[in-house]
Amino acid sequence: MPDDDLLRSVLRELWHLTPTGITGLPRGLMSRAWDVEAGEERYVMRLVPPAARQSVAAGLAAADHLRSRGIAAGEPVRTLTGGLTLELPEGSLTVFRRTPGRPLVGADPVDQQWWGDRLGAVHRALQHFDHPGLRPWNLLDPDAAHLGVESWLRAAVAEAVTATTRLTVTDRLTYGVLHGDPAPEGFVVDPETGRAGLLDCPSGGTGPLVYDVAAAVVYAGGPDASAELIDGYLAAGPVDQDELDAVLPVLVRFRWAVQADWSARSLTGDRAPGCAGEVLRRAREALESDAA
């Protein structure tokens, strides 16, 4: 993972920015991000791992599409050579002008309303958006070697995949462009204007839109802690309450399986993030609780 010295050097040489501060943002499943101060300007740097490189162009195009429809989303800053990304061994690095505002707090009921509203607005605005970089939604592989890192893991992932497969085959679901990792820190609200928006628009490909809601519910602390988030989404998004009520429990469980899969993959890699073990512990608690 790039250290601060490398990031400072890259910003100076490729973007002609002199950072006065670089602060790591909470780690997501799909990327790493840093808040950058350069004089009076604020930026966000996002690093997407090599396996997700094809989604970067789709995410940039999706953010442009959102801005054209009045939804605030970070605007990429081109390098001095005109590129939108810098390819590093660790993945694709992009710099965005930071959307004005403070990050949302997942446990705050008012912030949950903003969060759900913006996620719903993004889903609605991207209903007819298409891009060759959008990846189809893929379920996890229960036979993957890294799931052997703990004895309970493979069976738990297989159960979540089976339930999700049954759901996608038997139910009529609303599909569209997924955010993929809608953590509250990726959304902001500007107290001066009351406008809410996104730091940027990482693309999770295409799939059932309730998966994004499920991911947000997991970040918020579970369904019992997410009433305002869900209300905000239902008021703004294209999914109705009947579908959400029927689908959400299965996809919340699947999201925990995704978290567990990510943790196991990280723990069997060369450099496991410090949070991987804790994420795996929480995923096990959630999956075993649901199974009971």
Side-chain angles (χ1 to χ4, degrees), residues 28-129:
L29 290 189
M30 297 173 60
S31 64
R32 288 293 310 276
W34 296 264
D35 196 42
V36 177
E37 295 183 41
E40 296 182 357
E41 299 294 326
R42 296 280 297 278
Y43 302 88
V44 172
M45 300 182 72
R46 187 173 297 279
L47 179 69
V48 175
R53 275 178 171 150
Q54 63 178 331
S55 71
V56 173
L60 294 173
D64 185 59
H65 184 86
L66 293 176
R67 289 192 300 274
S68 73
R69 281 153 177 75
I71 298 175
E75 184 176 0
V77 180
R78 291 185 178 273
T79 67
L80 295 179
T81 58
L84 288 173
T85 62
L86 172 65
E87 299 305 321
L88 298 173
E90 298 86 352
S92 299
L93 188 68
T94 309
V95 175
F96 300 87
R97 297 190 187 279
R98 197 184 192 285
T99 306
R102 62 165 179 81
L104 299 184
V105 177
D108 183 272
V110 175
D111 279 12
Q112 281 197 15
Q113 283 281 345
W114 285 115
W115 186 10
D117 173 86
R118 288 299 83 187
L119 182 58
V122 166
H123 282 173
R124 191 171 290 280
L126 294 177
Q127 278 187 296
H128 303 294
F129 172 79

Side-chain angles (χ1 to χ4, degrees), residues 1 11 29 31 52 89 93 118 132 137 146 164 175-176 184 192 219 228 249 251 257:
M1 192 58 59
L11 285 168
L29 290 189
S31 64
L93 188 68
R118 288 299 83 187
W137 197 55
H146 60 268
T164 303
Y175 279 71
E192 295 184 5
Y219 277 120
E228 299 299 327
L251 291 187

Side-chain angles (χ1 to χ4, degrees), residues 116-290:
D117 173 86
R118 288 299 83 187
L119 182 58
V122 166
H123 282 173
R124 191 171 290 280
L126 294 177
Q127 278 187 296
H128 303 294
F129 172 79
D130 194 16
H131 189 277
L134 287 173
R135 300 168 297 168
W137 197 55
N138 290 317
L139 298 179
L140 304 173
D141 178 10
D143 296 322
H146 60 268
L147 294 181
V149 69
E150 292 201 14
S151 60
W152 61 272
L153 183 54
R154 191 179 305 280
V157 168
E159 289 173 6
V161 169
T162 297
T164 303
T165 301
R166 185 182 305 116
L167 183 77
T168 58
V169 170
T170 59
D171 287 54
R172 291 179 60 86
L173 306 181
T174 304
Y175 279 71
V177 178
L178 297 172
H179 181 288
D181 197 27
E185 299 86 2
F187 295 75
V188 296
V189 62
D190 188 345
E192 295 184 5
T193 64
R195 292 189 66 199
L198 295 80
L199 288 182
D200 55 4
C201 189
S203 172
T206 57
L209 296 181
V210 179
Y211 174 73
D212 266 354
V213 182
V217 164
V218 168
Y219 277 120
D224 292 341
S226 308
E228 299 299 327
L229 164 65
I230 292 170
D231 284 349
Y233 180 84
L234 288 172
V239 177
D240 63 33
Q241 184 155 5
D242 287 344
E243 179 183 343
L244 191 141
D245 288 345
V247 173
L248 187 60
V250 176
L251 291 187
V252 165
R253 181 174 176 78
F254 181 72
R255 176 63 179 190
W256 276 118
V258 170
Q259 301 261 42
D261 180 86
W262 173 86
S263 301
R265 190 185 301 275
S266 298
L267 289 169
T268 56
D270 293 333
R271 292 185 178 181
C275 62
E278 174 62 17
V279 172
L280 187 60
R281 183 192 66 78
R282 293 178 58 218
R284 180 177 186 177
E285 290 179 355
L287 290 167
E288 291 182 344
S289 174
D290 284 349

